[in-house]
Amino acid sequence: MKAHTKYLTFNTTNRQEFINITEKVESAVKESEVKEGIVLVNPMHITSAVYVNDAEYGLIEDFQKWLEELAPAKPDYKHHRTGEDNADAHLKRQLMGHQVTMPITNGKLDLGTWEQIYYAEFDGQRNKRVIVKIIGV
Amino acid sequence: MKAHTKYLTFNTTNRQEFINITEKVESAVKESEVKEGIVLVNPMHITSAVYVNDAEYGLIEDFQKWLEELAPAKPDYKHHRTGEDNADAHLKRQLMGHQVTMPITNGKLDLGTWEQIYYAEFDGQRNKRVIVKIIGV
Amino acid sequence: MKAHTKYLTFNTTNRQEFINITEKVESAVKESEVKEGIVLVNPMHITSAVYVNDAEYGLIEDFQKWLEELAPAKPDYKHHRTGEDNADAHLKRQLMGHQVTMPITNGKLDLGTWEQIYYAEFDGQRNKRVIVKIIGV
């Protein structure tokens, strides 16, 4: 069995930003030399998410509007008594499903035609890490 | 370490349909001859989900009504400027958690009494694939 | 490849309770002697969730209030025709993402500074199990 670990770092221009990281994960899979296995992609911060969906700009706007409706940024969260102002980011990242585990077959990410891996930042403008952990044979 | 891959295909009669796939995943686990490990069950399309919950028809109706309330089918999504009409399906699948990874112990899916694995189709009536990826010893 | 399995049991005082289980998962990782791999933490019941977020009491209150808004406890779920009264718990656990898979590096849970693993109980006051499944080298 082989294991391979890679840390990606993101520092977004905007507080909220969605970034397609499929190629970065694919590169890590190649480096690992794993032919059959899985890759876990997990944000190491709790105000961002990794999810799989479409690389289509309209849909990304739909996601952002929808997340704002279901988990709005607003002052009156109890978490804000600590001095923080990002409770909505903690909620939004749960709605998106926070992390993904993807299959590796024949040395490649085994994705469907439209599956793309995204990093969703909800409280950016500072260094945030994502771990890519690959195991397999 | 062993690895085993199986692709399931679904073509539902209705646009939205929930299908219990526990037995299909259990069969793939048997074929793999893995005694201790995990199985990743991931839809290869971005308008469906795999989730674990109850095999109870009333609850499935509750899920469907609830998903329609939180992520309604409606014309005015930006994604629809591409000609698509299924933005709600992309949102609904995120709410359900999109994929699962389940434990294998003593050569069997290690499920609690009521845990059942479901395929939730939100934009069906065409061939859709689910990958079952098993790794372990 | 090594595999290690541990079952945790929770019996909460209240119907709804959020419990930090990071140390319990860390202990299981040590017992496994896995240096590089992953750990799957999955509730074996369908009215609870395992998620990763902040160990901050205000935020936990925010989560509980928010889940009640999006998936309220109320009598008129179809699931309740079976005699059950916990349909909301089945929905809430989907919103939180139900299970997590975390990386193991150098023999330890590879967590970001604020990542903590929680067990979220939505229908407690009875024995509920969580499986911790570790695989790696």
Side-chain angles (χ1 to χ4, degrees):
Chain A
M1 206 201 94
K2 287 178 195 130
H4 181 66
T5 308
K6 191 161 187 178
Y7 302 93
L8 310 175
T9 303
F10 300 95
N11 192 329
T12 57
T13 306
N14 303 304
R15 183 164 192 179
Q16 193 170 126
E17 220 163 286
F18 284 36
I19 300 167
N20 190 333
I21 62 171
T22 314
E23 283 184 23
K24 287 181 196 291
V25 178
E26 185 72 72
S27 294
V29 169
K30 266 185 206 144
E31 287 163 24
S32 74
E33 298 181 3
V34 164
K35 298 300 172 204
E36 295 293 324
I38 57 169
V39 50
L40 166 65
V41 192
N42 183 59
M44 300 183 78
H45 299 255
I46 51 186
T47 50
S48 50
V50 172
Y51 74 94
V52 168
N53 218 304
D54 206 353
E56 198 280 300
Y57 296 108
L59 186 68
I60 288 171
E61 284 184 60
D62 291 330
F63 271 130
Q64 291 180 319
K65 189 178 170 219
W66 176 69
L67 289 166
E68 202 55 44
E69 285 165 7
L70 293 188
K74 57 179 186 180
D76 66 328
Y77 288 108
K78 297 220 162 126
H79 184 47
H80 295 173
R81 294 177 306 192
T82 63
E84 290 285 357
D85 64 355
N86 60 2
D88 69 298
H90 291 274
L91 307 184
K92 286 178 170 102
R93 88 94 165 226
Q94 294 304 133
L95 277 179
M96 290 304 281
H98 129 250
Q99 65 174 194
V100 298
T101 301
M102 300 304 287
I104 300 166
T105 306
N106 295 327
K108 289 191 155 191
L109 271 180
D110 198 348
L111 300 180
T113 311
W114 304 104
E115 284 189 296
Q116 294 286 299
I117 307 174
Y118 270 78
Y119 174 69
E121 176 64 81
F122 299 113
D123 186 24
Q125 299 170 316
R126 55 198 167 104
N127 281 346
K128 308 269 289 257
R129 288 198 301 163
V130 171
I131 186 169
V132 181
K133 186 71 145 190
I134 296 160
I135 62 173
V137 280
Chain B
M1 208 201 91
K2 286 179 196 130
H4 181 66
T5 308
K6 191 161 188 177
Y7 302 94
L8 310 175
T9 302
F10 299 95
N11 192 329
T12 58
T13 307
N14 303 304
R15 182 163 192 178
Q16 192 170 128
E17 219 164 286
F18 284 36
I19 300 166
N20 190 334
I21 61 171
T22 313
E23 282 183 25
K24 287 181 197 291
V25 178
E26 185 71 73
S27 294
V29 169
K30 265 185 207 146
E31 287 163 24
S32 75
E33 297 182 2
V34 165
K35 297 301 172 204
E36 296 292 324
I38 57 170
V39 51
L40 166 65
V41 192
N42 184 58
M44 300 183 78
H45 299 255
I46 51 186
T47 49
S48 52
V50 172
Y51 74 93
V52 168
N53 218 305
D54 206 352
E56 197 280 300
Y57 296 107
L59 185 68
I60 288 171
E61 284 184 59
D62 292 328
F63 271 129
Q64 291 179 320
K65 189 178 170 217
W66 176 70
L67 289 166
E68 202 54 46
E69 285 165 6
L70 294 188
K74 56 180 186 181
D76 66 329
Y77 289 107
K78 297 219 162 124
H79 184 48
H80 295 172
R81 296 177 306 192
T82 63
E84 290 284 356
D85 65 353
N86 61 1
D88 69 297
H90 291 273
L91 307 184
K92 285 177 172 103
R93 86 95 166 226
Q94 294 303 132
L95 278 178
M96 289 305 280
H98 127 248
Q99 65 175 193
V100 299
T101 302
M102 300 305 287
I104 300 166
T105 306
N106 296 326
K108 288 192 155 188
L109 271 180
D110 197 349
L111 300 179
T113 311
W114 304 104
E115 282 189 297
Q116 294 286 299
I117 306 174
Y118 269 79
Y119 175 69
E121 176 63 81
F122 299 113
D123 185 24
Q125 298 169 317
R126 54 198 169 106
N127 280 348
K128 307 269 288 257
R129 286 196 305 163
V130 171
I131 184 169
V132 181
K133 186 71 143 188
I134 296 160
I135 61 173
V137 279
Chain C
M1 207 201 92
K2 286 178 196 130
H4 181 66
T5 308
K6 192 162 186 178
Y7 303 93
L8 309 175
T9 303
F10 299 94
N11 191 328
T12 58
T13 307
N14 303 304
R15 182 163 192 180
Q16 191 170 130
E17 219 164 287
F18 284 37
I19 300 166
N20 189 333
I21 62 171
T22 314
E23 283 185 22
K24 285 181 197 291
V25 178
E26 185 70 74
S27 294
V29 170
K30 266 186 206 145
E31 287 163 24
S32 74
E33 297 182 0
V34 165
K35 298 301 173 205
E36 296 293 325
I38 58 168
V39 50
L40 165 65
V41 192
N42 183 59
M44 300 182 78
H45 299 256
I46 51 185
T47 49
S48 51
V50 171
Y51 74 95
V52 168
N53 218 304
D54 206 353
E56 198 279 301
Y57 296 108
L59 185 68
I60 289 170
E61 284 183 61
D62 291 329
F63 271 128
Q64 291 179 318
K65 189 178 170 218
W66 177 69
L67 289 166
E68 202 55 45
E69 285 165 8
L70 293 188
K74 58 181 186 181
D76 65 328
Y77 288 108
K78 297 219 162 126
H79 184 46
H80 295 173
R81 295 178 303 193
T82 62
E84 290 285 356
D85 64 355
N86 62 1
D88 68 298
H90 291 274
L91 306 184
K92 286 177 170 102
R93 88 93 166 228
Q94 294 302 132
L95 278 179
M96 289 304 280
H98 128 249
Q99 66 175 193
V100 299
T101 302
M102 300 305 287
I104 299 166
T105 307
N106 295 327
K108 287 190 155 191
L109 271 180
D110 198 349
L111 300 180
T113 311
W114 303 106
E115 283 188 297
Q116 294 286 299
I117 306 174
Y118 269 81
Y119 175 69
E121 176 62 82
F122 299 113
D123 186 24
Q125 298 169 317
R126 55 200 168 103
N127 281 348
K128 306 270 287 260
R129 287 197 304 162
V130 171
I131 185 169
V132 181
K133 186 70 142 189
I134 296 160
I135 61 172
V137 280

